[in-house]
Amino acid sequence: MKVKIICGQMPVIAGRPDLNYKKIIELIASAKEQGADILCLPEMCVSGYLIGDIWEEQAFLDDVTYYNNEIIKASDDMAILFGTVCFEKGKLNEDGRVRMYNAAYAAQHGKSVGGYLGRNYIIKNSQPNYREFDDARHFYSLQKLCAEEFAPVPETLQPMQLTFKGASLAVGLMLCEDGWTENYFYNVPQTLARNGADVLVNLSCSPYALGKNKKRNRLFGAQAREAGIPLVYCNCVGIQNNGKNVFTMDGCTSVYQGNGELATAAEMYGDTVLPFSYEDGEIIPECPVAYPAQDTEAIYKSLHYGTKLFLEQCGIKRMTIGLSGGIDSAVTAAMYVDILGPENVLLINMPSQYNSEATKNIAQVMAQRLGTNYAIIPIQHSFEHTVEQLENTPIINYTTNKEIHLELSELVKENIQARDRGARILAAASASFGGAFSCNSNKSEITVGYATFYGDICGAVAMIGDLWKHQVYALGRYLNEVVFKREVLPEEIFNIRPSAELNPNQTVGKGGDPLIYPYHDYLFSAFVENWHKATPADVLRWYKEGTLAKELGCDAKIIKSSFPTHASFIADLERWWKLFAGFSVAKRIQAPPIISMTKRSYGYDHREAQLSPYFSREYYELKEELLREQLRVES
Amino acid sequence: MKVKIICGQMPVIAGRPDLNYKKIIELIASAKEQGADILCLPEMCVSGYLIGDIWEEQAFLDDVTYYNNEIIKASDDMAILFGTVCFEKGKLNEDGRVRMYNAAYAAQHGKSVGGYLGRNYIIKNSQPNYREFDDARHFYSLQKLCAEEFAPVPETLQPMQLTFKGASLAVGLMLCEDGWTENYFYNVPQTLARNGADVLVNLSCSPYALGKNKKRNRLFGAQAREAGIPLVYCNCVGIQNNGKNVFTMDGCTSVYQGNGELATAAEMYGDTVLPFSYEDGEIIPECPVAYPAQDTEAIYKSLHYGTKLFLEQCGIKRMTIGLSGGIDSAVTAAMYVDILGPENVLLINMPSQYNSEATKNIAQVMAQRLGTNYAIIPIQHSFEHTVEQLENTPIINYTTNKEIHLELSELVKENIQARDRGARILAAASASFGGAFSCNSNKSEITVGYATFYGDICGAVAMIGDLWKHQVYALGRYLNEVVFKREVLPEEIFNIRPSAELNPNQTVGKGGDPLIYPYHDYLFSAFVENWHKATPADVLRWYKEGTLAKELGCDAKIIKSSFPTHASFIADLERWWKLFAGFSVAKRIQAPPIISMTKRSYGYDHREAQLSPYFSREYYELKEELLREQLRVES
């Protein structure tokens, strides 16, 4: 028996069952036309997955149910496997709300074919509750249902029986995390295989993260091999967000042979279908494997895709970017020109007396090379007016009836400049130009709050907010070399030392950012991106043991040359840890949404409370030991 | 046998095991001095509960473990029951990280007494994963552990056996949610009672929410009655936050007799202990019940407590408040004067040409009555400069080489004024005065984004961000009548129609906010605070059935008089729903932290994605029906 299967790698629109249903009906019609026996559609393809607490709206659930039934009816002459949410009236979730399952239907001949525990759908067993996922917040797991119905999970996980020309095909149907079995007690795919599945089908709504594709290929290939049967991974495309983070669903729908080999795969981010056949335990591909982009190419593609769709969803057609002459705003500007076209981008250079001719010139040259809209709007007058007004306005104390005056420190004056640019000029100019303005902060700055509230950490979206400074540079090179194929970012940008240019001692040529990016990028990454997050205790232990550069993945020489003494290393570590675990959290709480790239982006993916920074007992011991050692060496 | 029990209602500091341990040691010493046989300490009293993803830091967990053991050792001549986190090396959580349990120790004679499944601690079974809680994100539940060890949950839930003078006391120990049994499959307290507990002890870390105390008394009283044994509820005080929301833990430690009656209770928000005795199944109280505050008094107390502690934790000693002459800033200003003292508060009135003499006068009078620091800093010059600069600066298009100019709309000009106040003046003035500035937005405005990005929805904390407009007015009255006992808020504030005063048609006397608070407050509350969230379909169904006012809990006349036709009612509903489910989400993503008061505050308690607003099928049907009916009536 040969069965033709089509995976519909559709762009799911979160929170819009009406629009998703329309797309699904088109996919069904086209799959039927192509003679498909089975159409696979991704997890949560009717509702979308990341929709916040909309799951608590009954009218929304009712609509999803209505469309579920319409899709089932459309399976008259073709089987449809699709992921969706199912709710059960009369049963309650643990929080007292209507009980919902992250579920999937196997529908054929206009009816659903089987399901678990008397329901006509299968239920996700492994619930992700890490990173941006909150499955347990909304959905009841198969494991909990089995416990309350006194049914063993392994016996419940039965394949769905489809029939084609009198012969039967047992489909081991599962949802997303059910396939990521590494640390769950129940291994869903192997259980389905043991229970007689001919083929495993994993319906997913899986976001892109740097390096994730490789891991999935390794894991899913191994599963197919262990089970000895093919595995179909059907993922969606599109974007979904949780407020603070915008995730791109990268598609990369993939089919693995029973020996673990990748047989065919759909294009990354493609609004496309993947057709192939199953015959006697083998996958017969129709298309070659579309290998996904890696490294900087993947970052470029994901940022482009994610930002474009996010702007479209928000109805933003034009963007205004503050262009300082530094690398972050340059990369951001070039990306927006690439996404929206030069006619829809407005670049504004906003000099004060501290801005160098070098950076002002770079900004102008870039705007010319990009052929975009450009304005120079100085902030000097407004800055001086603000300082003058605040220092000269009397403050009366109505208890003592005495007058006081404010005195503005250098730091306050620096922040006035940043806010004058962001909240005074960019916010108003972008509203008049149309659309919104951009937040150009990168992950290194966001980590330690090296940014001004309502100054530069503001705007509609932080496109490069999940990229470390070295990744921003790499993306800049990629834009010149591959995307624009000419030097839209002038070479000087890559060579000048980054500087905020907010006071006389801090301009290009005179003094730059306090961050040593070739070290701090990697240190900060260990704080937030390591699966087992590093703290000062770990860092100091590695430093003492001489393994720090290896553990962080950075150049050993930069550490040695930057910190001549233990004391200087420790002072630097404490300075940034206190900011990372302290005040910078306040800035992140009010930061714009970030397009997520790594496996931990700030916001909903890396959750944090505003607390006082903590140093552990081990840290204090190591610190004392090292400082004692330094004293000994020095004396 | 008479057993003296002391509940230590301690202010837990989230993320600071070092400081909490210090407090615990003090409590242990003092309880021993008072001759206690048992000291109860709250859930997560070593670590704190809401600490974001700090749970992923091994050095933090190691310290908690160290302090756990020190506390156990201190139980030499007094039993100690305390909630904490325990991790299990060698076992993994489902996400691959070290496995952690939300756990509690029963320690006596310097050792832990029993525990579940071979561990020397008990494990929380019911995990809250709603509102601000994410237990499943971090902790492995008893139910999951039982499944993997093939142990039935009901047989695992055994009481801890303590011994006093040769006699034994079986303590049914549980953690917080284990006591809120309404919708969980396993009823932990009744199982513990069935398994022989003499007394139930619930260690909690439970935040305040309006009305929650009443519910807990009802629920916990009923549990004690059903079990026929006393129940001890030991809660902490202090604040904890999840970034977007600051929660106050209200204490209210309570002890119920076996007949369900409340025997004794500790003061709301008191850093105190509750001593009592247990003898032959009876509680012998030492203190009368301290009844918690209700309604506006409770709001005042909770806001005061939460804001004070939050500022202390952030190191903020002074606050600057933009004082418009309206109710929101007036209430906020009076609260800060109450919390910090008039010498530490700076009120700034920032008039433009559109501000009325009435509001300017109110602001000045208020500052005088509060005896605080006051300044008038006009924004007119800066506003005009910004408009002039943006309209006159040429924008060059580097593709066409043509120049364009921006034209600023009325709306853009309004927002320039708001941002001039917030991001230009308040941000800089507060940084110079010391401390931070206040966000004065209320929940009604935040619901629909009736606020300007970086203008008024900015600042260190939104103190009244979880209060509806009518609650703000009630708090204003309370401040005058009870707190200050004189008219610090001039009577006019309660009578003028609220207005943003940002354009010539929108000033006090001429035209006010577009919100009809006596209706919209209640409508919006149904959108977000109803346990089963209301959507336009529900609202229109209730409207059609004539039950809307009853369902919303508002005055029926206001609906009738505000919306003469179905069409006008529908237009209003759609207008606000589109904002609530659409653009206002973007504003909330970048909003300051909110002090949580209700059972759904914006932020982490009510989670949301930035999506396009959705209207359900039922909604469109009802709308069509009503508009048809209107046409029929009109024709």
Side-chain angles (χ1 to χ4, degrees):
Chain A
M1 176 192 52
K2 186 170 173 178
V3 177
K4 171 149 180 162
I5 305 175
I6 289 182
C7 286
Q9 181 173 292
M10 63 182 276
V12 172
I13 301 167
R16 293 302 300 265
D18 51 345
L19 303 180
N20 292 325
Y21 174 68
K22 226 178 119 194
K23 175 75 183 178
I24 289 167
I25 289 301
E26 285 168 21
L27 282 168
I28 291 172
S30 128
K32 283 181 183 175
E33 239 170 63
Q34 290 170 67
D37 297 300
I38 305 177
L39 172 67
C40 301
L41 297 169
E43 183 185 28
M44 295 279 179
C45 67
V46 179
S47 53
Y49 194 9
L50 304 182
I51 60 171
D53 288 345
I54 286 180
W55 297 118
E56 299 172 15
E57 298 174 2
Q58 187 61 44
F60 181 83
L61 296 180
D62 286 339
D63 277 13
V64 173
T65 305
Y66 171 82
Y67 293 120
N68 287 348
N69 291 330
E70 292 299 303
I71 296 165
I72 292 168
K73 279 188 223 157
S75 71
D76 43 0
D77 45 3
M78 176 183 70
I80 305 175
L81 312 177
F82 69 103
T84 188
V85 68
C86 294
F87 73 92
E88 203 168 2
K89 266 203 168 132
K91 288 230 180 234
L92 292 180
N93 198 359
E94 288 171 332
D95 62 4
R97 295 199 185 84
V98 58
R99 185 182 295 177
M100 281 174 285
Y101 304 101
N102 183 336
Y105 284 100
Q108 196 177 22
H109 311 304
K111 289 193 306 253
S112 99
V113 179
Y116 295 159
L117 300 171
R119 281 87 181 159
N120 66 347
Y121 43 81
I122 68 125
I123 297 166
K124 192 173 179 178
N125 190 61
S126 308
Q127 294 191 319
N129 290 299
Y130 53 83
R131 294 197 55 207
E132 69 274 20
F133 300 110
D134 289 321
D135 264 35
R137 181 176 178 88
H138 306 294
F139 309 113
Y140 212 68
S141 73
L142 181 63
Q143 181 172 347
K144 278 186 189 159
L145 183 62
C146 282
E148 88 180 28
E149 304 211 347
F150 304 101
V153 174
E155 286 164 36
T156 305
L157 289 167
Q158 296 294 335
M160 303 292 101
Q161 302 293 339
L162 302 178
T163 49
F164 300 98
K165 299 149 205 154
S168 143
L169 182 76
V171 176
L173 191 57
M174 61 184 145
L175 287 155
C176 204
E177 190 77 355
D178 282 331
W180 298 81
T181 51
E182 283 178 307
N183 302 295
Y184 288 86
F185 180 64
Y186 296 104
N187 184 321
V188 174
Q190 298 313 317
T191 308
L192 288 166
R194 267 196 303 278
N195 288 343
D198 298 311
V199 58
L200 297 170
V201 175
N202 183 316
L203 309 179
S204 283
C205 176
S206 190
Y208 168 77
L210 258 171
K212 190 170 165 189
N213 276 315
K214 277 187 191 163
K215 186 177 175 190
R216 198 193 56 245
N217 273 333
R218 185 168 46 75
L219 216 77
F220 282 22
Q223 269 169 27
R225 196 161 52 242
E226 190 184 339
I229 53 174
L231 187 155
V232 177
Y233 165 77
C234 178
N235 194 20
C236 58
V237 291
I239 54 161
Q240 305 212 16
N241 76 86
N242 257 322
K244 281 292 195 188
N245 301 108
V246 180
F247 298 94
T248 59
M249 309 292 152
D250 59 356
C252 296
T253 292
S254 301
V255 186
Y256 305 85
Q257 296 285 10
N259 63 5
E261 272 171 29
L262 186 56
T264 181
E267 197 197 343
M268 190 180 193
Y269 297 120
D271 175 0
T272 184
V273 295
L274 184 69
F276 57 94
S277 296
Y278 168 92
E279 189 170 21
D280 301 330
E282 290 270 332
I283 297 298
I284 305 150
E286 291 186 22
C287 321
V289 172
Y291 287 99
Q294 301 295 337
D295 305 325
T296 304
E297 185 193 354
I299 288 174
Y300 164 74
K301 276 189 93 156
S302 303
L303 279 186
H304 189 287
Y305 184 78
T307 308
K308 187 169 189 289
L309 264 63
F310 185 67
L311 296 186
E312 280 173 13
Q313 190 183 284
C314 296
I316 298 171
K317 295 187 177 75
R318 311 183 92 181
M319 282 297 278
T320 298
I321 300 119
L323 195 70
S324 68
I327 185 75
D328 299 312
S329 59
V331 165
T332 307
M335 285 294 294
Y336 277 116
V337 167
D338 185 36
I339 292 167
L340 298 170
E343 68 280 14
N344 293 315
V345 172
L346 168 59
L347 306 181
I348 306 183
N349 185 253
M350 295 166 284
S352 76
Q353 63 186 99
Y354 304 122
N355 291 85
S356 61
E357 287 309 312
T359 49
K360 284 193 276 193
N361 187 46
I362 288 172
Q364 177 120 19
V365 167
M366 251 206 88
Q368 284 166 335
R369 292 188 184 168
L370 289 169
T372 189
N373 302 291
Y374 185 67
I376 301 168
I377 308 185
I379 60 164
Q380 194 64 27
H381 169 80
S382 175
F383 168 58
E384 284 168 11
H385 167 66
T386 299
V387 172
E388 189 272 339
Q389 193 181 25
L390 290 179
E391 290 195 334
N392 292 345
T393 303
I395 296 172
I396 181 156
N397 179 311
Y398 276 125
T399 295
T400 62
N401 280 317
K402 287 198 180 122
E403 276 186 19
I404 57 166
H405 282 85
L406 296 176
E407 273 174 57
L408 273 54
S409 69
E410 277 311 306
L411 180 65
V412 170
K413 287 180 188 167
E414 288 175 20
N415 286 325
I416 287 173
Q417 294 169 62
R419 283 189 300 267
D420 209 75
R421 293 188 172 113
R424 190 177 70 87
I425 294 176
L426 290 179
S430 62
S432 298
F433 182 66
F437 71 102
S438 158
C439 174
N440 307 338
S441 294
N442 63 54
K443 194 169 190 175
S444 314
E445 294 166 358
I446 294 174
T447 298
V448 290
Y450 189 61
T452 301
F453 262 124
Y454 325 124
D456 43 4
I457 190 144
C458 55
V461 57
M463 186 206 277
I464 59 167
D466 200 22
L467 297 187
W468 301 105
K469 193 81 172 183
H470 67 272
Q471 293 172 315
V472 178
Y473 279 111
L475 182 57
R477 290 275 179 215
Y478 186 87
L479 284 164
N480 275 357
E481 289 161 17
V482 181
V483 180
F484 287 90
K485 296 190 173 63
R486 58 196 168 90
E487 205 182 79
V488 291
L489 281 78
E491 186 60 25
E492 303 94 286
I493 287 190
F494 297 96
N495 302 321
I496 54 172
R497 183 167 165 204
S499 169
E501 300 195 306
L502 289 169
N503 72 45
N505 302 316
Q506 184 203 54
T507 59
V508 163
K510 269 201 171 172
D513 289 357
L515 290 163
I516 306 157
Y517 294 107
Y519 164 59
H520 288 122
D521 271 5
Y522 299 87
L523 176 72
F524 298 167
S525 168
F527 287 168
V528 65
E529 291 179 349
N530 275 12
W531 203 244
H532 299 277
K533 288 184 169 158
T535 61
D538 302 295
V539 174
L540 219 51
R541 196 184 330 107
W542 296 332
Y543 173 81
K544 188 181 152 228
E545 290 169 354
T547 59
L548 182 61
K550 194 170 142 265
E551 290 283 354
L552 299 182
C554 73
D555 183 13
K557 278 175 289 188
I558 192 82
I559 301 175
K560 251 204 142 61
S561 66
S562 303
F563 309 109
T565 63
H566 294 340
S568 64
F569 179 84
I570 287 168
D572 178 83
L573 178 60
E574 291 193 0
R575 173 186 184 184
W576 299 117
W577 175 260
K578 279 180 190 162
L579 284 167
F580 163 68
F583 189 44
S584 71
V585 178
K587 293 186 181 171
R588 291 194 284 272
I589 290 169
Q590 298 189 43
I594 291 170
I595 311 278
S596 286
M597 288 291 111
T598 70
K599 61 180 192 269
R600 296 312 281 270
S601 54
Y602 288 114
Y604 207 76
D605 184 1
H606 164 84
R607 304 189 193 173
E608 38 192 3
Q610 206 170 332
L611 304 172
S612 61
Y614 183 72
F615 292 91
S616 64
R617 299 177 66 253
E618 185 193 0
Y619 175 76
Y620 286 116
E621 284 163 21
L622 287 164
K623 176 181 172 180
E624 209 191 302
E625 204 180 313
L626 284 164
L627 292 181
R628 238 189 352 247
E629 188 191 305
Q630 183 178 329
L631 274 179
R632 213 177 45 233
V633 171
E634 286 169 0
S635 66
Chain B
M1 177 191 51
K2 186 171 174 177
V3 177
K4 173 152 179 158
I5 304 175
I6 289 181
C7 286
Q9 181 174 290
M10 63 182 277
V12 173
I13 301 168
R16 295 302 300 266
D18 51 343
L19 304 180
N20 292 324
Y21 174 68
K22 227 178 117 193
K23 175 76 183 179
I24 289 168
I25 289 301
E26 286 168 21
L27 282 168
I28 291 173
S30 126
K32 283 180 182 174
E33 239 170 62
Q34 289 170 67
D37 297 300
I38 304 177
L39 172 65
C40 301
L41 296 169
E43 182 184 29
M44 295 279 177
C45 66
V46 180
S47 54
Y49 193 9
L50 305 182
I51 60 171
D53 288 345
I54 286 180
W55 297 117
E56 299 171 18
E57 298 174 3
Q58 187 60 44
F60 182 83
L61 296 180
D62 286 340
D63 277 13
V64 173
T65 305
Y66 171 82
Y67 293 119
N68 287 348
N69 290 330
E70 293 298 304
I71 297 166
I72 292 168
K73 280 188 220 157
S75 71
D76 44 359
D77 46 2
M78 176 184 70
I80 305 174
L81 312 176
F82 70 103
T84 188
V85 68
C86 294
F87 74 90
E88 201 166 5
K89 266 202 167 133
K91 288 231 181 235
L92 292 180
N93 197 359
E94 288 170 334
D95 63 4
R97 295 200 186 84
V98 59
R99 186 182 296 178
M100 281 175 284
Y101 305 102
N102 184 336
Y105 284 100
Q108 196 178 22
H109 311 305
K111 291 194 307 249
S112 99
V113 178
Y116 294 159
L117 300 171
R119 280 87 181 159
N120 66 346
Y121 42 81
I122 69 123
I123 297 166
K124 191 174 179 177
N125 190 62
S126 309
Q127 295 191 319
N129 290 300
Y130 52 83
R131 296 199 52 208
E132 68 273 21
F133 300 110
D134 289 320
D135 265 35
R137 180 174 179 87
H138 306 295
F139 309 113
Y140 212 68
S141 72
L142 181 63
Q143 180 172 347
K144 278 186 188 159
L145 183 62
C146 282
E148 87 180 28
E149 304 211 348
F150 304 101
V153 174
E155 287 164 36
T156 306
L157 289 167
Q158 295 294 334
M160 303 292 101
Q161 301 293 338
L162 302 178
T163 51
F164 300 99
K165 300 144 201 157
S168 142
L169 181 75
V171 176
L173 191 58
M174 61 182 144
L175 286 155
C176 204
E177 190 78 355
D178 283 332
W180 297 82
T181 51
E182 282 179 308
N183 301 297
Y184 289 86
F185 181 63
Y186 297 104
N187 184 321
V188 174
Q190 298 313 318
T191 307
L192 288 166
R194 266 197 302 277
N195 288 344
D198 298 311
V199 58
L200 296 169
V201 175
N202 183 315
L203 308 178
S204 283
C205 177
S206 189
Y208 168 77
L210 259 171
K212 190 169 163 188
N213 276 314
K214 277 186 190 160
K215 186 176 176 192
R216 198 194 55 246
N217 274 333
R218 185 168 47 74
L219 216 75
F220 283 22
Q223 268 168 28
R225 196 162 52 243
E226 190 183 340
I229 54 173
L231 187 155
V232 177
Y233 164 77
C234 178
N235 194 20
C236 59
V237 291
I239 54 161
Q240 305 211 17
N241 76 86
N242 258 323
K244 282 291 194 190
N245 301 107
V246 180
F247 298 94
T248 60
M249 309 292 149
D250 60 354
C252 297
T253 293
S254 302
V255 186
Y256 305 85
Q257 297 285 10
N259 64 4
E261 271 171 30
L262 186 56
T264 180
E267 198 199 342
M268 189 179 193
Y269 297 120
D271 174 1
T272 185
V273 295
L274 184 69
F276 57 93
S277 297
Y278 168 92
E279 189 171 21
D280 302 331
E282 290 271 330
I283 297 298
I284 305 151
E286 292 186 21
C287 322
V289 172
Y291 287 99
Q294 302 295 337
D295 306 324
T296 304
E297 187 193 354
I299 288 174
Y300 164 74
K301 275 188 94 156
S302 303
L303 278 186
H304 189 285
Y305 184 78
T307 308
K308 186 168 188 290
L309 265 63
F310 185 68
L311 297 185
E312 280 172 16
Q313 189 183 284
C314 296
I316 298 171
K317 294 186 178 75
R318 310 183 94 182
M319 282 297 279
T320 298
I321 300 119
L323 195 69
S324 68
I327 186 74
D328 299 311
S329 59
V331 164
T332 307
M335 285 293 295
Y336 277 115
V337 167
D338 185 36
I339 292 167
L340 298 169
E343 67 281 13
N344 294 314
V345 172
L346 169 58
L347 305 181
I348 306 183
N349 184 253
M350 296 165 284
S352 75
Q353 65 187 97
Y354 304 123
N355 291 86
S356 61
E357 287 309 313
T359 50
K360 285 193 277 192
N361 188 46
I362 288 171
Q364 176 120 17
V365 167
M366 251 206 88
Q368 285 167 334
R369 292 187 185 169
L370 289 168
T372 190
N373 303 292
Y374 185 68
I376 300 168
I377 308 185
I379 61 164
Q380 194 63 29
H381 168 80
S382 175
F383 167 58
E384 284 168 10
H385 168 65
T386 299
V387 172
E388 189 271 339
Q389 194 180 25
L390 290 179
E391 290 195 333
N392 292 345
T393 302
I395 296 172
I396 180 157
N397 180 310
Y398 275 126
T399 296
T400 62
N401 280 318
K402 288 202 178 118
E403 276 187 16
I404 56 165
H405 282 84
L406 296 176
E407 272 174 59
L408 274 53
S409 69
E410 277 312 305
L411 180 65
V412 170
K413 287 180 186 166
E414 289 177 19
N415 287 324
I416 288 174
Q417 293 170 63
R419 283 190 300 266
D420 209 74
R421 294 189 171 112
R424 191 177 70 88
I425 295 176
L426 290 179
S430 63
S432 298
F433 181 67
F437 71 102
S438 158
C439 174
N440 307 338
S441 295
N442 63 53
K443 194 168 190 174
S444 313
E445 294 166 358
I446 294 173
T447 298
V448 290
Y450 189 61
T452 302
F453 261 126
Y454 326 123
D456 43 5
I457 190 144
C458 55
V461 57
M463 186 205 276
I464 59 167
D466 200 23
L467 296 187
W468 302 106
K469 193 82 172 184
H470 68 272
Q471 292 171 314
V472 179
Y473 279 112
L475 182 57
R477 290 274 179 216
Y478 186 87
L479 285 164
N480 275 358
E481 288 161 18
V482 181
V483 179
F484 287 89
K485 295 190 174 60
R486 57 195 169 88
E487 206 182 78
V488 293
L489 281 77
E491 185 61 25
E492 303 94 288
I493 286 190
F494 298 95
N495 301 322
I496 54 172
R497 181 166 165 205
S499 168
E501 300 196 306
L502 289 169
N503 72 46
N505 303 316
Q506 182 203 55
T507 59
V508 163
K510 269 201 170 173
D513 290 356
L515 290 163
I516 306 157
Y517 294 107
Y519 165 59
H520 288 122
D521 271 6
Y522 300 86
L523 176 72
F524 298 166
S525 168
F527 287 167
V528 64
E529 291 178 350
N530 275 12
W531 203 244
H532 299 277
K533 288 184 169 160
T535 60
D538 302 295
V539 174
L540 219 50
R541 195 184 330 108
W542 295 332
Y543 173 80
K544 187 180 153 229
E545 290 167 357
T547 59
L548 181 61
K550 194 171 143 265
E551 291 283 354
L552 299 183
C554 73
D555 182 11
K557 277 175 291 189
I558 192 80
I559 302 176
K560 254 208 138 61
S561 65
S562 304
F563 309 110
T565 62
H566 295 338
S568 64
F569 179 84
I570 287 168
D572 178 84
L573 179 61
E574 292 192 359
R575 172 185 185 183
W576 299 117
W577 176 259
K578 279 181 190 163
L579 284 168
F580 164 68
F583 189 45
S584 71
V585 178
K587 294 187 180 171
R588 290 193 285 271
I589 290 170
Q590 298 190 44
I594 291 170
I595 310 278
S596 286
M597 288 291 111
T598 69
K599 61 178 193 268
R600 295 314 279 270
S601 53
Y602 288 114
Y604 208 74
D605 183 1
H606 164 83
R607 304 191 192 171
E608 36 191 6
Q610 205 169 329
L611 304 172
S612 61
Y614 183 71
F615 291 90
S616 64
R617 299 177 65 252
E618 185 192 359
Y619 175 76
Y620 285 117
E621 284 163 21
L622 286 164
K623 176 181 170 178
E624 208 190 301
E625 204 180 313
L626 283 164
L627 293 180
R628 233 185 358 241
E629 189 190 305
Q630 183 176 331
L631 273 180
R632 210 177 46 232
V633 172
E634 286 170 359
S635 66

